Amino acid sequence: MLDEILNKIQECNNLDQLETIRVETLGKKGSLTQEFAKMKTIPGPEKKAFAENLNKQKAAVTEALDEKKVVLEKEALEIKLQSEKIDVTRFNNELSCGATHPVVETMNRIITYFQNLNFAVEEGPLVEDDFHNFEALNLPKYHPARDMQDTFYNKDYTLLRTHTSPVQIRTMLSQSTPIRMIAPGTVFRRDFDITHTPMFHQIEALVVEDGDHISFANLKHVLVEFLHHMFGDVDVRFRPSFFPFTEPSAEVDISCVFCKGDGCRVCSHTGWLEVLGCGIVDQNVFKAVGYEGKSGYAFGLGVERFAMLIHSIGDLRSLFESDTRLIGQFK
Ligand code: PHE
C-alpha cells in the first residue's frame, strides 16, 4: 500500500490533487489513519512492530507530500510569473484619447458664439469683495443673497463670488464705452442637492454704449438668436422678473427640449425650461461706476444647466463626480 501511495504522490501534478491524496491517506477517514484504528484488534506482542511499521509509513507519506508540495508550489509560481509578465518595451498600438468635459465643451461653444459677434472675453477674481459682488450691483445691505446662508465669506470679509456679475463692474471701471463683453467663469454658493452644487459655472454678458439707444429689443434679438443656435428650433419666451442690477428684468424660458412643450417631468409639466436671467442695466449700477447717462443690457446663464439640457444629463452632481464613464461618452 505504501508504494502505491508514494507513486500517486510522485505522479501528481497539481496542488489540488495533492491535497486530495493527503486527505485520502492521512485525513480523518484516510486509509493510513484507518490502519491506526486497527491497533486495538492486534494482539499484545505484535502491537509494537505493527505501530512502528505504521509510523514509518506515515512519516514516509508525510515527507513525500511535503516535498511534492514545495515542487508544485514553485511550478505554480513560475506559471503565474510567466502569465503576468509585462513587457515594458512593447509598443501599444491602441490609442486612447481623452474627451472634453461637457461643461467645458458647452462653455467653449458659448464663448465662440459670442466671440464671433465681437464680444470680448473678460475675467475677474474668484475671491471678491462686497463692493464688486453686491454693493455696486445695487444689492442692498438687507438682500437675502448677502446672507451667510447663501454666500461663502472669508474671515477678512472677502467672499467667493456668487455670480459672474462683478466682472461687469470691474470691466466698466477699467474700460470705457462701448463695452461688449462676456465673462465666463466659476461661481460659488452654499447649496448642495440634485439641482445645486457649491461650485458651478456662469457666463455673463454686458453691452454698454453712450446715450440711451440700447433697448430691450436689442437684448431680445441677441438672446433669441443665441438660444436658437444652442437648442435649435425652440420657442423662446421672456417672463418679467427681478434682479437688483437690471430694470426691467426678465427670465428667459425655452420650450421644453424633451417634450417639445407638451409637458413632462423635466419641465414640471409646464412645457417651459428656464435658461437665463437678463435685463436692462439699472441706472444705480451705472452710478456706482461713473457711467451715468449710458445705456446697456446684461444677461447671465448657468453653463451646467445648458450642458444638461443639451446632453440630457439628469443629475447635476454627476458632472462633478469625475467618473470617467460619463466623460467617455463625449469622445
Ligand atoms: N447674476 C444673475 C444670477 O446669478 C444673472 C443675471 C446676470 C441676471 C445679468 C441679469 C443680468 O442669477
Side-chain angles (χ1 to χ4, degrees), residues 1-277:
M1 186 168 85
L2 180 62
D3 285 347
E4 202 184 308
I5 297 174
L6 293 179
N7 251 337
K8 246 183 161 176
I9 294 175
Q10 212 44 54
E11 276 159 23
C12 166
N13 55 20
N14 73 66
L15 284 162
D16 285 343
Q17 206 180 331
L18 192 69
E19 176 62 12
T20 309
I21 299 173
R22 193 191 62 77
V23 173
E24 278 170 4
T25 52
L26 302 177
K28 255 191 202 146
K29 290 180 182 158
S31 52
L32 269 178
T33 315
Q34 261 157 16
E35 287 297 307
F36 277 101
K38 286 185 192 155
M39 292 264 280
K40 278 181 263 159
T41 62
I42 306 284
E46 289 158 41
K47 238 188 187 121
K48 194 175 167 217
F50 183 83
E52 257 173 356
N53 179 27
L54 263 187
N55 276 326
K56 256 189 215 151
Q57 290 194 31
K58 188 180 171 183
V61 171
T62 306
E63 194 187 312
L65 282 169
D66 288 348
E67 274 173 13
K68 190 71 181 180
K69 196 170 173 195
V70 172
V71 172
L72 289 178
E73 275 175 349
K74 208 175 148 205
E75 269 174 31
L77 181 66
E78 276 309 313
I79 290 169
K80 196 165 177 227
L81 286 176
Q82 278 301 324
S83 71
E84 291 179 1
K85 192 164 140 186
I86 295 172
D87 179 0
V88 290
T89 63
R90 217 178 88 183
F91 189 77
N92 184 4
N93 287 312
E94 252 172 64
L95 279 181
S96 79
C97 60
T100 310
H101 191 281
V103 169
V104 176
E105 180 238 28
T106 305
M107 193 128 149
N108 288 343
R109 244 183 97 191
I110 298 172
I111 293 171
T112 305
Y113 179 85
F114 284 105
Q115 278 181 321
N116 287 338
L117 291 180
N118 236 356
F119 280 68
V121 177
E122 301 292 348
E123 282 180 322
L126 306 187
V127 177
E128 266 297 1
D129 54 38
D130 184 86
F131 174 77
H132 293 91
N133 197 78
F134 295 130
E135 192 74 45
L137 286 162
N138 196 34
L139 267 107
K141 286 267 186 278
Y142 52 80
H143 197 282
R146 289 186 150 199
D147 201 285
M148 300 282 279
Q149 297 291 323
D150 299 297
T151 303
F152 290 105
Y153 284 97
N154 296 314
K155 283 204 182 100
D156 61 359
Y157 288 101
T158 57
L159 50 89
L160 299 184
R161 68 178 182 190
T162 58
H163 50 181
T164 40
S165 304
V167 185
Q168 290 187 24
I169 302 302
R170 290 184 179 275
T171 306
M172 286 191 281
L173 286 173
S174 62
Q175 298 179 19
S176 51
T177 44
I179 285 173
R180 181 180 279 258
M181 57 144 263
I182 53 168
T186 319
V187 300
F188 307 86
R189 290 184 197 172
R190 294 183 62 168
D191 242 338
F192 195 41
D193 57 38
I194 347 181
T195 52
H196 299 90
T197 48
M199 185 277 299
F200 61 101
H201 300 83
Q202 286 190 331
I203 295 184
E204 186 88 9
L206 173 71
V207 170
V208 188
E209 289 185 17
D210 290 335
D212 62 1
H213 61 276
I214 296 259
S215 73
F216 208 96
N218 302 134
L219 170 62
K220 197 171 169 188
H221 173 74
V222 166
L223 284 179
V224 170
E225 290 291 311
F226 165 60
L227 292 171
H228 283 157
H229 171 79
M230 295 303 289
F231 296 106
D233 186 21
V234 288
D235 292 334
V236 178
R237 81 173 178 187
F238 287 70
R239 235 177 335 101
S241 184
F242 174 79
F243 297 103
F245 29 91
T246 47
E247 180 60 35
S249 305
E251 276 170 326
V252 182
D253 300 340
I254 56 171
S255 52
C256 180
V257 290
F258 299 103
C259 63
K260 306 274 174 275
D262 292 343
C264 67
R265 221 167 48 91
V266 183
C267 61
S268 308
H269 303 281
T270 61
W272 295 96
L273 297 165
E274 184 195 320
V275 289
L276 54 83

